[in-house]
Amino acid sequence: INSVDSIVWDDGEPNRKKVKITDSRKSIQLIAEIESGADFSNSKAVYHVKLDTLSSGSDDTFYLFYDPSWDDNTEYIGDTGDAVAQGVWDTNTIGKWNLGELSGNALDSTSNGFDGTVTATQGIDSSVGKGITLDGALDLVNLSANVASFDGLTNGTLRGSFKLSSTSSSNGNDMFFIGDGLTSPYNFMFLRVGTGNIASAYPDESIYFGVFANSSTASLSMFVRKGEGFYADDQWHRIAVRVDGI
């Protein structure tokens, strides 16, 4: 179970691990991941925290303590890729990409290590922390090196956030794409948003999720039909796609 919070501290990056996060009893420490791409120049960061329990009917309380005189709390606080930070995400999480890196990489927060490479503008402000800008043409996050690890999956959930410009004229931006090649025949899965004719299936689709075999055979296709320009509003939107069997 995960939660997100932001803090501000003195002196930025050197002190990012001089924190303790506890449950409501203030005696049990919780582990946390410092999201890559933290805005250290303005002394800000995003922490992903693993809570032991979470109530569905009431607010839950946890506490964050900071002292610049403390040693780094590396037993409980880690950067993306650190073993302690990977513990925030359980085995049901196949991959978690914050996309806040500036180096051309997309680091996987989980212990699976499904890192990708980024061809896009990095380091932009996003709904949480930093993100990337996709141009609708050749920009992408490439996860192909790990495609074999996704073989055999028949159910799961894709989640993410996106923002489309009100002046966007793109026919489609693949938020997520993974395949076993680019030469036909190949198998692939994608999640696409856009403002134009993103699928040629309907005149009013704005989100398209597809799973294809042998380049052209659709094993699964799902559409959100709310008008081609519905999401082009300069606002952040969260999206989740759940598949319970293919």
Side-chain angles (χ1 to χ4, degrees), residues 77-95:
I77 308 296
D79 297 315
T80 300
D82 289 347
V84 62
Q86 292 170 346
V88 172
W89 313 98
D90 64 21
T91 56
N92 292 315
T93 306
I94 295 176

Side-chain angles (χ1 to χ4, degrees), residues 154-172:
T154 59
N155 60 78
T157 302
L158 287 173
R159 294 190 302 168
S161 300
F162 69 92
K163 179 173 70 172
L164 286 175
S165 168
S166 59
T167 59
S168 174
S169 59
S170 170
N171 285 339

Side-chain angles (χ1 to χ4, degrees), residues 125-175:
D125 291 333
S126 69
S127 59
V128 176
K130 296 294 183 178
I132 63 176
T133 295
L134 303 174
D135 64 5
L138 298 177
D139 284 359
L140 78 160
V141 179
N142 189 344
L143 303 173
S144 299
N146 304 297
V147 66
S149 299
F150 294 81
D151 284 351
L153 288 178
T154 59
N155 60 78
T157 302
L158 287 173
R159 294 190 302 168
S161 300
F162 69 92
K163 179 173 70 172
L164 286 175
S165 168
S166 59
T167 59
S168 174
S169 59
S170 170
N171 285 339
N173 298 272
D174 286 343
M175 290 182 61

Side-chain angles (χ1 to χ4, degrees), residues 170-198:
S170 170
N171 285 339
N173 298 272
D174 286 343
M175 290 182 61
F176 179 91
F177 181 98
I178 188 166
D180 58 11
L182 292 175
T183 302
S184 183
Y186 61 99
N187 308 297
F188 60 96
M189 176 175 65
F190 64 89
L191 175 62
R192 181 178 300 164
V193 298
T195 57
N197 188 12
I198 66 173

Side-chain angles (χ1 to χ4, degrees), residues 23-82:
D23 64 6
S24 59
R25 294 164 290 185
K26 300 184 181 180
S27 58
I28 304 299
Q29 283 202 64
L30 307 174
I31 61 174
E33 174 197 4
I34 307 171
E35 181 171 311
S36 52
D39 188 5
F40 292 120
S41 62
N42 290 311
S43 297
K44 294 181 179 180
V46 175
Y47 287 69
H48 296 269
V49 182
K50 184 174 184 178
L51 304 180
D52 293 329
T53 61
L54 190 66
S55 172
S56 61
S58 60
D59 292 337
D60 292 88
T61 302
F62 63 99
Y63 296 91
L64 187 149
F65 302 91
Y66 162 72
D67 189 330
S69 68
W70 288 342
D71 293 333
D72 286 351
N73 189 13
T74 54
E75 185 177 354
Y76 291 92
I77 308 296
D79 297 315
T80 300
D82 289 347

